[in-house]
Amino acid sequence: MKQEDFNQLFDDVKNGVIEKKEALGMLGKFIQKNYPMFGLHRFDEDFRAELLVSFFEKGEKLFDNYDPQKTDFFKFFFYYIIGLISSARRYIARNSLKETLLFEEDVVSYSTKERNYSIQNTFESKMLYSSKKSSDEYKTLSFEQLREIFSKILAKSADKKILVLALKSCFYLTEIQIKKISELYNIDEVIMYDAIQYCKMSVISKSVKVQKILERRNYNYFHHRKCEKRITELDECVDKIESRIIKDRLVKLDGIHYNHWQALNRKFADGFLYLRPTNKTIGDLLNISVRQVSYYINCARIESKKLTNNSTEEKK
C-alpha cells in the first residue's frame, strides 16, 4: 500500500464503501507484513500478536479521531501504532514489577509465618510454670490474694525499691533475675510470677499494638532494602525503556518505605517501644499509693546516677 492508498482507504470508510472492520483487517495485514517499519522486529511474536489484538479491539477510533486537514492518514496511522506499542510496553513493565513484588512479598510472608510458628512452638515447649507444679495442681492467685501477700512482705522489708522496679520492668525480667528477687524478699517464685503476669496483663492491649507496629517497621525496612537492591540491578540496563519505568516506580516505593521505616524508628527511640505497667497498677498490687511508687522509682534513679558518676570518676 502506498501513501495515496491509505488516504483512499480512509475516504472509502468515510463514504461507506467499506466497513471499519474490513479496513482494520487491511491495516492489520500491512502491520504484519511491514512490522520492522514500526520497530516491532525488536519484539517476539507473542508481543506482535498481542499488539494486533489490541489494534483490532481499539482501532475503530483511528477513523473517528483522524482529521484530514492536519496530516495524511498514513502518518496518523503510523504514530497511532507507535502509541499502542508504548502502551503495551508500559503495561508489561507494570505487570513485571507487580509480579516481582508480589512474589517476594509471598516469600517474606511465608518466612515470617514459619519463624513465628517456630517461636510459638519453642514458647509452648517451655511452659512458665511446668517446673513448679502440674497444670492440675497450679492455680493462679487472685488479685486480692496477691495484694495481701505483698502487703505483708513490704511491711517486713526496709528496701522496697527493687520490688517496685522489678514489677515496672515485668516485660524484660529474666528467670535468673526473678529467682534472685524472690530470694531477696523471701517470696515463692510462683507468687512472683503471678505478680509479674498481672502487671503484664494490665498493658496487654499496648503489647499487641507495639507488636503490630514492630511488624510494620520490619516490613518497611525489608521492602526498602529490596527496592535498593532492585534499583542497583536496573542501573546496569538503564537504556531499556522497561528498566527505566520499573526503576522510577521502585525509587518512589523505596522513598515511601524508607520514610515509614525511619518514622517508626523515631517513635521507638522516643520510648514508644518500652512496655511498662502504670504506677497505679503497681500501687494497687502492693497496696501503696501512686506517690510512693513514684518516690521509690525516683530514689532508684538517683542512686543509679550516683553509681554511674562514681564509676566514671574511678576510671578517670
Side-chain angles (χ1 to χ4, degrees):
M1 292 177 68
K2 297 181 180 179
Q3 187 167 337
E4 295 79 9
D5 296 331
F6 280 92
N7 293 333
Q8 184 60 45
L9 181 66
F10 172 75
D11 290 337
D12 290 344
V13 172
K14 184 179 178 181
N15 296 327
V17 177
I18 60 174
E19 295 183 355
K20 290 180 181 179
K21 288 184 179 179
E22 185 180 350
L24 286 177
M26 296 171 66
L27 292 174
K29 289 180 180 178
F30 180 83
I31 295 171
Q32 283 182 306
K33 186 177 180 180
N34 302 278
Y35 64 86
M37 178 188 296
F38 303 96
L40 288 170
H41 60 285
R42 296 176 295 170
F43 304 97
D44 57 22
E45 292 183 4
D46 290 338
F47 182 88
R48 294 198 291 269
E50 289 178 7
L51 182 75
L52 281 173
V53 171
S54 178
F55 173 70
F56 289 133
E57 289 176 349
K58 306 174 183 178
E60 291 188 8
K61 296 179 181 178
L62 183 69
F63 302 102
D64 298 331
N65 297 332
Y66 173 62
D67 185 355
Q69 295 180 355
K70 292 184 178 180
T71 185
D72 292 330
F73 184 70
F74 173 75
K75 290 181 181 178
F76 185 75
F77 164 69
F78 177 83
Y79 286 110
Y80 179 81
I81 298 302
I82 296 299
L84 280 181
I85 293 171
S86 298
S87 298
R89 294 175 74 179
R90 285 195 296 270
Y91 177 78
I92 291 171
R94 285 196 300 269
N95 277 1
S96 175
L97 174 62
K98 185 178 179 181
E99 288 175 3
T100 301
L101 294 180
L102 286 175
F103 173 76
E104 294 184 359
E105 284 174 8
D106 288 341
V107 171
V108 175
S109 176
Y110 174 78
S111 300
T112 303
K113 288 178 181 177
E114 188 178 36
R115 180 177 58 82
N116 289 343
Y117 180 74
S118 175
I119 291 171
Q120 184 179 357
N121 284 347
T122 303
F123 176 77
E124 288 175 353
S125 65
K126 297 179 180 179
M127 294 299 290
L128 192 59
Y129 303 112
S130 59
S131 61
K132 302 299 174 185
K133 296 182 180 181
S134 67
S135 57
D136 294 332
E137 295 175 358
Y138 181 76
K139 291 183 179 179
T140 305
L141 295 174
S142 66
F143 168 75
E144 290 75 16
Q145 290 173 314
L146 285 172
R147 184 173 186 176
E148 184 180 351
I149 291 170
F150 280 102
S151 297
K152 293 177 181 179
I153 291 170
L154 291 181
K156 299 176 183 178
S157 175
D159 190 354
K160 305 175 180 64
K161 294 190 295 293
I162 296 175
L163 183 59
V164 170
L165 290 176
L167 295 176
K168 193 73 174 176
S169 309
C170 58
F171 275 92
Y172 311 102
L173 292 175
T174 64
E175 290 185 4
I176 295 173
Q177 289 172 330
I178 294 171
K179 185 177 181 180
K180 288 183 177 180
I181 294 167
S182 300
E183 292 174 353
L184 178 64
Y185 288 96
N186 196 23
I187 309 172
D188 190 296
E189 277 187 57
V190 174
I191 296 174
M192 191 65 196
Y193 274 117
D194 271 352
I196 290 169
Q197 190 62 25
Y198 171 80
C199 293
K200 283 184 177 181
M201 291 301 293
S202 69
V203 288
I204 194 66
S205 59
K206 186 178 180 183
S207 173
V208 172
K209 184 180 178 182
V210 169
Q211 184 60 36
K212 287 182 178 179
I213 294 177
L214 269 173
E215 290 174 1
R216 276 172 47 204
R217 185 192 66 173
N218 296 342
Y219 172 87
N220 283 300
Y221 173 74
F222 169 81
H223 283 278
H224 158 59
R225 297 291 297 172
K226 179 185 68 178
C227 288
E228 276 190 336
K229 183 181 177 182
R230 290 280 291 139
I231 290 168
T232 304
E233 292 172 356
L234 290 170
D235 282 338
E236 299 175 1
C237 50
V238 290
D239 55 319
K240 297 181 180 179
I241 186 169
E242 293 95 338
S243 301
R244 292 200 298 272
I245 294 170
I246 294 174
K247 183 180 176 182
D248 291 343
R249 175 62 175 161
L250 283 171
V251 168
K252 291 179 181 177
L253 280 175
D254 183 37
I256 292 170
H257 289 305
Y258 179 81
N259 290 335
H260 287 174
W261 170 52
Q262 289 294 347
L264 292 173
N265 274 342
R266 284 192 293 272
K267 272 190 174 183
F268 289 130
D270 293 338
F272 186 82
L273 177 63
Y274 303 123
L275 292 168
R276 298 176 292 260
T278 62
N279 290 355
K280 185 178 186 307
T281 299
I282 296 172
D284 290 342
L285 180 63
L286 301 181
N287 200 19
I288 58 178
S289 67
V290 175
R291 285 189 177 183
Q292 283 179 288
V293 175
S294 300
Y295 170 75
Y296 294 134
I297 292 172
N298 288 331
C299 288
R301 186 180 291 115
I302 292 169
E303 289 183 15
S304 176
K305 286 182 179 179
K306 286 181 180 179
L307 290 172
T308 303
N309 293 334
N310 292 337
S311 177
T312 303
E313 289 176 2
E314 288 177 4
K315 289 180 180 179
K316 291 180 180 180

